[in-house]
Short mmCIF file of all heavy atoms in Angstrom, two decimals:
data_model
loop_
_atom_site.label_atom_id
_atom_site.label_comp_id
_atom_site.label_asym_id
_atom_site.label_seq_id
_atom_site.Cartn_x
_atom_site.Cartn_y
_atom_site.Cartn_z
N ASP A 1 61.41 0.58 -54.18
CA ASP A 1 62.48 -0.12 -53.48
C ASP A 1 62.23 -1.62 -53.57
O ASP A 1 61.08 -2.06 -53.65
CB ASP A 1 62.53 0.31 -52.01
CG ASP A 1 62.95 1.76 -51.84
OD1 ASP A 1 63.66 2.26 -52.73
OD2 ASP A 1 62.54 2.38 -50.85
N PRO A 2 63.29 -2.43 -53.54
CA PRO A 2 63.12 -3.87 -53.74
C PRO A 2 62.09 -4.52 -52.83
O PRO A 2 61.33 -5.38 -53.26
CB PRO A 2 64.54 -4.41 -53.45
CG PRO A 2 65.44 -3.29 -53.84
CD PRO A 2 64.71 -2.04 -53.44
N GLU A 3 62.02 -4.10 -51.56
CA GLU A 3 61.08 -4.75 -50.65
C GLU A 3 59.63 -4.40 -50.95
O GLU A 3 58.71 -5.06 -50.46
CB GLU A 3 61.41 -4.41 -49.19
CG GLU A 3 61.22 -2.96 -48.81
CD GLU A 3 62.48 -2.13 -49.00
OE1 GLU A 3 63.38 -2.56 -49.77
OE2 GLU A 3 62.58 -1.07 -48.38
N MET A 4 59.40 -3.36 -51.75
CA MET A 4 58.04 -2.96 -52.08
C MET A 4 57.54 -3.59 -53.38
O MET A 4 56.36 -3.55 -53.68
CB MET A 4 57.95 -1.44 -52.20
CG MET A 4 58.23 -0.68 -50.92
SD MET A 4 58.17 1.09 -51.18
CE MET A 4 58.71 1.68 -49.56
N ILE A 5 58.45 -4.15 -54.16
CA ILE A 5 58.08 -4.68 -55.47
C ILE A 5 57.09 -5.83 -55.33
O ILE A 5 56.09 -5.91 -56.04
CB ILE A 5 59.34 -5.12 -56.24
CG1 ILE A 5 60.15 -3.89 -56.65
CG2 ILE A 5 58.97 -5.95 -57.47
CD1 ILE A 5 61.49 -4.21 -57.30
N SER A 6 57.34 -6.73 -54.39
CA SER A 6 56.51 -7.92 -54.28
C SER A 6 55.07 -7.59 -53.92
O SER A 6 54.14 -8.26 -54.39
CB SER A 6 57.09 -8.90 -53.26
OG SER A 6 57.09 -8.32 -51.97
N GLU A 7 54.85 -6.54 -53.12
CA GLU A 7 53.47 -6.21 -52.73
C GLU A 7 52.65 -5.74 -53.92
O GLU A 7 51.44 -5.97 -53.98
CB GLU A 7 53.45 -5.18 -51.60
CG GLU A 7 54.01 -3.82 -51.94
CD GLU A 7 54.14 -2.92 -50.72
OE1 GLU A 7 54.85 -3.29 -49.76
OE2 GLU A 7 53.52 -1.83 -50.72
N VAL A 8 53.30 -5.10 -54.89
CA VAL A 8 52.60 -4.68 -56.11
C VAL A 8 52.42 -5.87 -57.05
O VAL A 8 51.34 -6.08 -57.61
CB VAL A 8 53.37 -3.54 -56.80
CG1 VAL A 8 52.75 -3.21 -58.16
CG2 VAL A 8 53.39 -2.30 -55.92
N LEU A 9 53.48 -6.67 -57.20
CA LEU A 9 53.38 -7.84 -58.08
C LEU A 9 52.33 -8.83 -57.57
O LEU A 9 51.63 -9.46 -58.38
CB LEU A 9 54.74 -8.54 -58.20
CG LEU A 9 55.81 -7.77 -58.98
CD1 LEU A 9 57.11 -8.57 -58.99
CD2 LEU A 9 55.37 -7.45 -60.41
N ASP A 10 52.19 -8.95 -56.26
CA ASP A 10 51.17 -9.86 -55.72
C ASP A 10 49.78 -9.45 -56.17
O ASP A 10 48.94 -10.30 -56.50
CB ASP A 10 51.25 -9.88 -54.19
CG ASP A 10 52.45 -10.64 -53.66
OD1 ASP A 10 53.08 -11.37 -54.45
OD2 ASP A 10 52.77 -10.51 -52.46
N VAL A 11 49.50 -8.13 -56.16
CA VAL A 11 48.20 -7.63 -56.62
C VAL A 11 48.02 -7.93 -58.10
O VAL A 11 46.95 -8.38 -58.54
CB VAL A 11 48.07 -6.12 -56.36
CG1 VAL A 11 46.80 -5.56 -57.01
CG2 VAL A 11 48.06 -5.83 -54.86
N MET A 12 49.08 -7.74 -58.89
CA MET A 12 48.99 -7.97 -60.32
C MET A 12 48.78 -9.45 -60.64
O MET A 12 48.01 -9.80 -61.54
CB MET A 12 50.24 -7.43 -61.01
CG MET A 12 50.35 -5.91 -60.94
SD MET A 12 51.94 -5.30 -61.54
CE MET A 12 51.89 -5.83 -63.26
N VAL A 13 49.44 -10.32 -59.90
CA VAL A 13 49.27 -11.77 -60.10
C VAL A 13 47.83 -12.15 -59.78
O VAL A 13 47.21 -12.96 -60.49
CB VAL A 13 50.26 -12.56 -59.22
CG1 VAL A 13 49.89 -14.04 -59.17
CG2 VAL A 13 51.68 -12.40 -59.75
N GLU A 14 47.27 -11.56 -58.74
CA GLU A 14 45.88 -11.85 -58.37
C GLU A 14 44.92 -11.38 -59.47
O GLU A 14 43.98 -12.09 -59.83
CB GLU A 14 45.54 -11.16 -57.05
CG GLU A 14 44.15 -11.48 -56.53
CD GLU A 14 43.87 -10.85 -55.18
OE1 GLU A 14 44.80 -10.79 -54.36
OE2 GLU A 14 42.74 -10.40 -54.96
N LEU A 15 45.18 -10.20 -60.01
CA LEU A 15 44.34 -9.70 -61.11
C LEU A 15 44.40 -10.64 -62.31
O LEU A 15 43.39 -10.94 -62.95
CB LEU A 15 44.78 -8.29 -61.52
CG LEU A 15 44.52 -7.16 -60.54
CD1 LEU A 15 45.12 -5.86 -61.06
CD2 LEU A 15 43.03 -6.98 -60.30
N ALA A 16 45.61 -11.09 -62.63
CA ALA A 16 45.78 -12.01 -63.75
C ALA A 16 45.00 -13.30 -63.52
O ALA A 16 44.32 -13.81 -64.42
CB ALA A 16 47.26 -12.30 -63.97
N ALA A 17 45.07 -13.82 -62.29
CA ALA A 17 44.37 -15.06 -61.97
C ALA A 17 42.86 -14.91 -62.04
O ALA A 17 42.15 -15.88 -62.31
CB ALA A 17 44.78 -15.53 -60.57
N GLU A 18 42.38 -13.69 -61.84
CA GLU A 18 40.94 -13.42 -61.88
C GLU A 18 40.43 -13.19 -63.30
O GLU A 18 39.24 -12.97 -63.50
CB GLU A 18 40.61 -12.21 -61.01
CG GLU A 18 40.82 -12.46 -59.52
CD GLU A 18 40.71 -11.19 -58.70
OE1 GLU A 18 40.54 -10.10 -59.29
OE2 GLU A 18 40.79 -11.29 -57.46
N GLY A 19 41.33 -13.20 -64.28
CA GLY A 19 40.91 -13.06 -65.67
C GLY A 19 40.90 -11.64 -66.19
O GLY A 19 40.28 -11.35 -67.22
N THR A 20 41.62 -10.74 -65.51
CA THR A 20 41.72 -9.36 -65.99
C THR A 20 42.57 -9.32 -67.26
O THR A 20 43.65 -9.90 -67.30
CB THR A 20 42.37 -8.46 -64.91
OG1 THR A 20 41.63 -8.59 -63.69
CG2 THR A 20 42.38 -7.00 -65.35
N THR A 21 42.10 -8.64 -68.28
CA THR A 21 42.88 -8.45 -69.50
C THR A 21 43.98 -7.45 -69.21
O THR A 21 43.72 -6.33 -68.76
CB THR A 21 41.99 -7.93 -70.64
OG1 THR A 21 40.84 -8.78 -70.78
CG2 THR A 21 42.76 -7.91 -71.96
N MET A 22 45.24 -7.83 -69.46
CA MET A 22 46.37 -7.00 -69.07
C MET A 22 47.45 -6.99 -70.14
O MET A 22 47.74 -8.01 -70.75
CB MET A 22 46.99 -7.53 -67.75
CG MET A 22 46.02 -7.51 -66.57
SD MET A 22 46.56 -8.53 -65.16
CE MET A 22 48.09 -7.74 -64.69
N VAL A 23 48.04 -5.81 -70.35
CA VAL A 23 49.26 -5.67 -71.14
C VAL A 23 50.29 -5.03 -70.23
O VAL A 23 50.06 -3.93 -69.70
CB VAL A 23 49.04 -4.81 -72.40
CG1 VAL A 23 50.34 -4.70 -73.20
CG2 VAL A 23 47.94 -5.39 -73.27
N VAL A 24 51.41 -5.71 -70.02
CA VAL A 24 52.35 -5.32 -68.98
C VAL A 24 53.75 -5.16 -69.55
O VAL A 24 54.29 -6.08 -70.17
CB VAL A 24 52.39 -6.37 -67.85
CG1 VAL A 24 53.32 -5.92 -66.73
CG2 VAL A 24 50.98 -6.64 -67.31
N VAL A 25 54.34 -3.99 -69.32
CA VAL A 25 55.77 -3.78 -69.58
C VAL A 25 56.48 -3.95 -68.25
O VAL A 25 56.17 -3.26 -67.27
CB VAL A 25 56.04 -2.36 -70.13
CG1 VAL A 25 57.55 -2.15 -70.30
CG2 VAL A 25 55.33 -2.15 -71.45
N THR A 26 57.42 -4.87 -68.18
CA THR A 26 58.10 -5.13 -66.92
C THR A 26 59.46 -5.76 -67.15
O THR A 26 59.70 -6.37 -68.20
CB THR A 26 57.24 -6.05 -66.02
OG1 THR A 26 57.89 -6.18 -64.74
CG2 THR A 26 57.07 -7.44 -66.63
N HIS A 27 60.33 -5.58 -66.16
CA HIS A 27 61.61 -6.29 -66.15
C HIS A 27 61.60 -7.41 -65.12
O HIS A 27 62.64 -8.03 -64.85
CB HIS A 27 62.76 -5.33 -65.85
CG HIS A 27 63.00 -4.33 -66.94
ND1 HIS A 27 63.45 -4.70 -68.19
CD2 HIS A 27 62.82 -3.00 -66.99
CE1 HIS A 27 63.56 -3.62 -68.96
NE2 HIS A 27 63.18 -2.58 -68.25
N GLU A 28 60.43 -7.65 -64.51
CA GLU A 28 60.31 -8.69 -63.49
C GLU A 28 60.05 -10.04 -64.17
O GLU A 28 58.93 -10.36 -64.55
CB GLU A 28 59.18 -8.34 -62.51
CG GLU A 28 59.38 -7.04 -61.77
CD GLU A 28 60.59 -7.07 -60.86
OE1 GLU A 28 60.96 -8.17 -60.40
OE2 GLU A 28 61.17 -6.00 -60.60
N MET A 29 61.10 -10.80 -64.33
CA MET A 29 61.00 -12.04 -65.08
C MET A 29 60.14 -13.09 -64.36
O MET A 29 59.50 -13.92 -64.99
CB MET A 29 62.39 -12.62 -65.36
CG MET A 29 63.24 -11.75 -66.28
SD MET A 29 62.53 -11.49 -67.93
CE MET A 29 62.06 -9.76 -67.78
N GLY A 30 60.15 -13.05 -63.02
CA GLY A 30 59.31 -13.99 -62.28
C GLY A 30 57.84 -13.78 -62.59
O GLY A 30 57.09 -14.75 -62.79
N PHE A 31 57.42 -12.52 -62.65
CA PHE A 31 56.03 -12.22 -63.00
C PHE A 31 55.74 -12.67 -64.43
O PHE A 31 54.70 -13.27 -64.71
CB PHE A 31 55.75 -10.72 -62.87
CG PHE A 31 54.38 -10.32 -63.35
CD1 PHE A 31 53.29 -10.42 -62.50
CD2 PHE A 31 54.19 -9.86 -64.64
CE1 PHE A 31 52.01 -10.07 -62.94
CE2 PHE A 31 52.92 -9.51 -65.09
CZ PHE A 31 51.84 -9.61 -64.23
N ALA A 32 56.67 -12.39 -65.34
CA ALA A 32 56.47 -12.77 -66.73
C ALA A 32 56.32 -14.29 -66.87
O ALA A 32 55.47 -14.77 -67.62
CB ALA A 32 57.65 -12.28 -67.58
N ARG A 33 57.11 -15.04 -66.14
CA ARG A 33 57.03 -16.50 -66.21
C ARG A 33 55.72 -17.04 -65.64
O ARG A 33 55.12 -17.95 -66.20
CB ARG A 33 58.18 -17.12 -65.41
CG ARG A 33 59.55 -17.06 -66.05
CD ARG A 33 60.55 -17.68 -65.09
NE ARG A 33 61.93 -17.60 -65.54
CZ ARG A 33 62.53 -18.51 -66.30
NH1 ARG A 33 61.85 -19.56 -66.72
NH2 ARG A 33 63.80 -18.37 -66.64
N SER A 34 55.27 -16.47 -64.52
CA SER A 34 54.16 -17.07 -63.79
C SER A 34 52.79 -16.53 -64.20
O SER A 34 51.81 -17.27 -64.14
CB SER A 34 54.35 -16.84 -62.29
OG SER A 34 54.30 -15.46 -61.97
N ALA A 35 52.71 -15.27 -64.61
CA ALA A 35 51.39 -14.66 -64.83
C ALA A 35 51.04 -14.46 -66.30
O ALA A 35 49.86 -14.38 -66.64
CB ALA A 35 51.32 -13.31 -64.11
N ALA A 36 52.03 -14.38 -67.17
CA ALA A 36 51.74 -14.10 -68.58
C ALA A 36 51.16 -15.32 -69.28
O ALA A 36 51.52 -16.46 -68.98
CB ALA A 36 53.00 -13.66 -69.31
N ARG A 37 50.24 -15.07 -70.19
CA ARG A 37 49.83 -16.12 -71.11
C ARG A 37 50.71 -16.07 -72.35
O ARG A 37 50.93 -17.09 -73.01
CB ARG A 37 48.36 -15.94 -71.50
CG ARG A 37 47.84 -17.08 -72.38
CD ARG A 37 46.41 -16.88 -72.82
NE ARG A 37 45.47 -16.77 -71.71
CZ ARG A 37 44.18 -16.54 -71.86
NH1 ARG A 37 43.65 -16.38 -73.07
NH2 ARG A 37 43.39 -16.45 -70.81
N ARG A 38 51.20 -14.86 -72.66
CA ARG A 38 52.02 -14.71 -73.87
C ARG A 38 53.10 -13.67 -73.62
O ARG A 38 52.86 -12.64 -73.00
CB ARG A 38 51.12 -14.29 -75.04
CG ARG A 38 51.84 -14.10 -76.37
CD ARG A 38 50.85 -14.20 -77.54
NE ARG A 38 49.63 -13.46 -77.34
CZ ARG A 38 49.27 -12.38 -78.05
NH1 ARG A 38 50.05 -11.94 -79.01
NH2 ARG A 38 48.13 -11.78 -77.80
N ILE A 39 54.30 -13.96 -74.10
CA ILE A 39 55.41 -13.02 -74.08
C ILE A 39 55.56 -12.44 -75.47
O ILE A 39 55.61 -13.18 -76.47
CB ILE A 39 56.73 -13.70 -73.67
CG1 ILE A 39 56.62 -14.38 -72.30
CG2 ILE A 39 57.89 -12.71 -73.70
CD1 ILE A 39 56.47 -13.44 -71.14
N VAL A 40 55.65 -11.11 -75.55
CA VAL A 40 55.91 -10.44 -76.81
C VAL A 40 57.24 -9.70 -76.66
O VAL A 40 57.39 -8.84 -75.79
CB VAL A 40 54.78 -9.45 -77.18
CG1 VAL A 40 55.16 -8.62 -78.41
CG2 VAL A 40 53.48 -10.21 -77.43
N PHE A 41 58.22 -10.06 -77.48
CA PHE A 41 59.56 -9.49 -77.38
C PHE A 41 59.76 -8.47 -78.50
O PHE A 41 59.57 -8.77 -79.68
CB PHE A 41 60.62 -10.59 -77.49
CG PHE A 41 62.03 -10.09 -77.37
CD1 PHE A 41 62.57 -9.77 -76.13
CD2 PHE A 41 62.82 -9.92 -78.50
CE1 PHE A 41 63.86 -9.30 -76.02
CE2 PHE A 41 64.12 -9.45 -78.40
CZ PHE A 41 64.64 -9.14 -77.16
N LEU A 42 60.13 -7.24 -78.10
CA LEU A 42 60.36 -6.17 -79.06
C LEU A 42 61.83 -5.81 -79.14
O LEU A 42 62.58 -5.92 -78.16
CB LEU A 42 59.58 -4.91 -78.67
CG LEU A 42 58.06 -4.92 -78.83
CD1 LEU A 42 57.40 -5.39 -77.55
CD2 LEU A 42 57.54 -3.56 -79.24
N ASP A 43 62.24 -5.37 -80.30
CA ASP A 43 63.58 -4.83 -80.50
C ASP A 43 63.52 -3.80 -81.62
O ASP A 43 62.93 -4.06 -82.68
CB ASP A 43 64.57 -5.95 -80.85
CG ASP A 43 66.00 -5.44 -80.89
OD1 ASP A 43 66.37 -4.66 -79.98
OD2 ASP A 43 66.75 -5.81 -81.81
#
C-alpha cells in the first residue's frame, strides 16, 4: 500500500548509503534519482 512504500525505501536508501552492492528493479523514480549510482534502461 502507498503508505508502506516509504518505510521499505528508507531501509534501501540506508543500505545504499552504507555501500551495499545492489541491483534494483523498481518503478519508484525518487529512489532511482537519489540512491542509484547508475541507471540501466532496458527495452
Side-chain angles (χ1 to χ4, degrees):
D1 292 334
E3 66 269 21
M4 297 178 186
I5 290 174
S6 63
E7 64 189 59
V8 173
L9 291 179
D10 286 347
V11 172
M12 293 172 62
V13 167
E14 184 177 323
L15 290 176
E18 292 171 356
T20 306
T21 308
M22 299 164 62
V23 180
V24 183
V25 176
T26 185
H27 292 294
E28 300 296 333
M29 295 299 108
F31 174 85
R33 285 178 184 271
S34 64
R37 184 183 301 177
R38 180 158 46 113
I39 302 292
V40 173
F41 181 78
L42 289 92
D43 187 42

